[in-house]
Amino acid sequence: MLRRLFIGCAGVALAAGLAAAQPSVRVEPATLQGPRALAEQTANSVIQDYLQSWRSLSVALDQNNPELLDADFTGDAKSKLAETIREQAALGMSTHYQDLTHDVQIVFYSPEGLSLELTDMVQYEVQLFDHGKPEPKQQVRARYVVMLTPAQVRWRVRVFQALPGD
Amino acid sequence: MRLLAFFASGLALGVAPLAFAQSGNLTLPKAVEAGAAFSIATAGSGKATLYIAGLGQVVKRQVDLGQTVNFPVGTLYSAGRYVVVLQGDQEPESGEFDVVPAKGVAELSFLARPSRLPVGLHDAITGAVYVFDAYKNLMVAPTPVSFELSGPSGAAQKRTVVTRFGAAWTEFDSTARQGADKFVANAGAASTRRVISQVPGDPCGLTMTAKRDGKQVELQTAPIRDCSGNPVPDGEVVTFTASFGDDQSTADVPIKGGIAKIDMPIQDGALISVASGVVMGNQIRWEK
């Protein structure tokens, strides 16, 4: 109960700390499966690093520069995003992603502490550019499931996938 | 009941590629299975460019409006949400659809810990599994994963856990016998194995005897075993302590051949004790 309260409060703090131009962020109390307790500091770090990963992917896909993914992504998530960037570049395209709102909930912390999973009901705008020519903006609302693993100084996104049908 | 609801939603996803959503001149599938062929119907006339963009893939095609655009097997294989834009001479059309993971577990990511631990500990071995399809998409539909931990004697602990958001975990006791245990996770046709090395626990029932050996006293333990009867390995340290008034002398002796043994000078009337780690053995009052 105490842990849920901590994480709920952390969400309020996160939202209040973000500037107006930033997406609004709501953090739901964690509904953890698994025996490992989640410290408040860990939960906050994970969410901060995850939100940062949206900024990274947005810039990387905007500039067609896969190196900008290095700090925040690893494993299959990084490979798939890098492949998308290569495809875009080959087609003369780029994409601008702007996350608008996040509703984040941590759902799994593996017993050995080497992975953590969260879901995020995220609203974002997508705008395609074909040889610099903008296509109409499209607003998307999708629930993502995200798996993160700890690196030396931060959590990195290893799986990043929209759930179907929401 | 909740499990049934999960499976029902999974089945619904399975038939989703058959459903379509129409938006103006575009008729899109609601969902496409990763790697499967699909089509997008267009209306009108003239030429247009069709864009399909997601965080996992991007596709661009020149199309003739009024035709159905067919995408062969393997075109989209990265699960996620895709936006679609049809740009022709008129107002652009847009929509979105999902690519869902392919059927059948192809790969397990299995985290098993620890790799080495003492025997006889409760819930000390943990395993966590993430399930993936053949395209490395996380399989988010509930999927049963069976875990099995078997020791050298062949006795096994088994448990089946249904994934939630593609993840499942379990914990097992370490077994009573030292040796290499097999920790296996299975889901569908995928199987992954880890080896957990179980070593003897702390000594149990540590006892020693004392006898005069010239001017010294020979101290020797009985064969040292843990509480499950496994011999404690050579090299573990046993500490003998002799106390007399304020004087105390100690000797750290590594186990060799299953026992610890040393000759110590000991005064008459001294209290001799033996210990290994946090485990205390018997005490002997040394008298001539």
Side-chain angles (χ1 to χ4, degrees):
Chain A
M1 184 64 195
L2 191 61
R3 190 167 74 224
R4 290 175 59 160
L5 185 65
F6 272 142
I7 293 170
C9 292
V12 174
L14 265 175
L18 293 167
Q22 300 287 345
S24 70
V25 178
R26 178 182 162 85
V27 181
E28 302 287 346
T31 55
L32 287 179
Q33 53 161 337
R36 192 178 184 88
L38 179 64
E40 179 193 359
Q41 194 178 2
T42 305
N44 287 343
S45 298
V46 166
I47 292 166
Q48 294 280 14
D49 292 344
Y50 165 64
L51 294 174
Q52 174 57 42
S53 76
W54 270 91
R55 293 191 278 277
S56 296
L57 79 83
S58 176
V59 180
L61 286 159
D62 210 16
Q63 299 180 6
N64 280 343
N65 183 354
E67 289 176 9
L68 298 174
L69 302 168
D70 290 349
D72 297 298
F73 292 89
T74 188
D76 291 338
K78 184 175 160 187
S79 306
K80 289 181 177 185
L81 285 166
E83 179 61 23
T84 305
I85 290 171
R86 274 190 288 276
E87 287 174 352
Q88 285 190 164
L91 294 168
M93 292 173 59
S94 64
T95 322
H96 182 71
Y97 282 84
Q98 176 65 58
D99 51 333
L100 304 172
T101 67
H102 293 273
D103 193 349
V104 181
Q105 184 172 43
I106 295 175
V107 294
F108 180 54
Y109 192 19
S110 63
E112 75 301 318
L114 292 178
S115 68
L116 187 148
E117 211 174 31
L118 59 82
T119 61
D120 181 17
M121 179 60 81
V122 56
Q123 251 183 305
Y124 57 97
E125 278 181 347
V126 187
Q127 187 169 27
L128 308 180
F129 292 82
D130 189 351
H131 293 92
K133 179 182 165 247
E135 299 298 333
K137 279 183 186 174
Q138 212 163 322
Q139 199 165 104
V140 177
R141 183 174 184 269
R143 192 178 193 200
Y144 277 76
V145 60
V146 183
M147 193 250 276
L148 302 102
T149 53
Q152 282 177 334
V153 293
R154 61 184 299 117
W155 289 79
R156 284 190 176 139
V157 175
R158 184 172 287 271
V159 173
F160 186 61
Q161 189 176 308
L163 296 173
D166 208 297
Chain B
M1 193 63 194
R2 190 174 293 171
L3 192 65
L4 282 175
F6 268 127
F7 277 118
S9 66
L11 287 172
L13 286 176
V15 299
L18 299 176
F20 290 86
Q22 185 151 8
S23 159
N25 290 332
L26 268 178
T27 305
L28 301 173
K30 285 189 82 172
V32 173
E33 188 179 309
F38 67 101
S39 58
I40 293 176
T42 64
S45 60
K47 301 279 187 188
T49 305
L50 180 69
Y51 303 94
I52 305 174
L55 288 169
Q57 285 180 269
V58 174
V59 174
K60 175 181 161 186
R61 290 283 166 84
Q62 302 303 320
V63 300
D64 292 319
L65 293 175
Q67 303 290 310
T68 294
V69 187
N70 294 308
F71 295 88
V73 167
T75 303
L76 287 181
Y77 47 82
S78 186
R81 181 67 50 87
Y82 286 78
V83 298
V84 180
V85 176
L86 183 65
Q87 177 70 66
D89 292 337
Q90 298 175 348
E91 279 293 298
E93 300 278 348
S94 61
E96 58 187 79
F97 67 91
D98 291 313
V99 173
V100 300
K103 291 186 179 71
V105 179
E107 188 181 320
L108 299 175
S109 172
F110 185 21
L111 304 165
R113 285 292 175 101
S115 58
R116 188 171 186 268
L117 82 168
V119 297
L121 298 180
H122 180 59
D123 284 346
I125 299 171
T126 63
V129 158
Y130 293 90
V131 295
F132 295 90
D133 70 4
Y135 300 100
K136 298 186 183 297
N137 297 308
L138 186 68
M139 298 190 67
V140 290
T143 305
V145 177
S146 65
F147 295 96
E148 181 174 324
L149 179 74
S150 55
S153 63
Q157 302 174 66
K158 297 179 183 176
R159 196 164 296 142
T160 298
V161 181
V162 176
T163 59
R164 180 172 174 245
F165 298 116
W169 71 278
T170 192
E171 54 194 1
F172 287 126
D173 301 341
S174 59
T175 53
R177 294 277 301 278
Q178 65 174 316
D181 284 10
K182 284 188 294 184
F183 194 5
V184 180
N186 290 295
S191 181
T192 305
R193 193 185 78 158
R194 299 284 182 268
V195 173
I196 307 288
S197 176
Q198 297 197 158
V199 298
D202 288 330
C204 202
L206 181 62
T207 58
M208 67 172 167
T209 56
K211 68 177 182 183
R212 181 161 295 283
D213 183 12
K215 292 183 176 177
Q216 298 199 322
V217 177
E218 181 190 276
L219 303 174
Q220 180 178 320
T221 66
I224 301 172
R225 296 180 180 278
D226 68 12
C227 295
S228 301
N230 300 294
V232 175
D234 286 1
E236 292 287 321
V237 172
V238 172
T239 302
F240 295 97
T241 305
S243 305
F244 185 78
D246 292 336
D247 295 334
Q248 190 176 71
S249 56
T250 62
D252 291 330
V253 181
I255 297 171
K256 189 175 175 186
I259 62 168
K261 182 178 171 184
I262 192 170
D263 288 350
M264 289 178 72
I266 295 176
Q267 294 186 48
D268 289 345
L271 185 66
I272 309 166
S273 60
V274 62
S276 180
V278 296
V279 177
M280 292 292 296
N282 62 324
Q283 293 184 325
I284 295 172
R285 176 75 65 183
W286 179 247
E287 306 287 356
K288 250 184 195 175

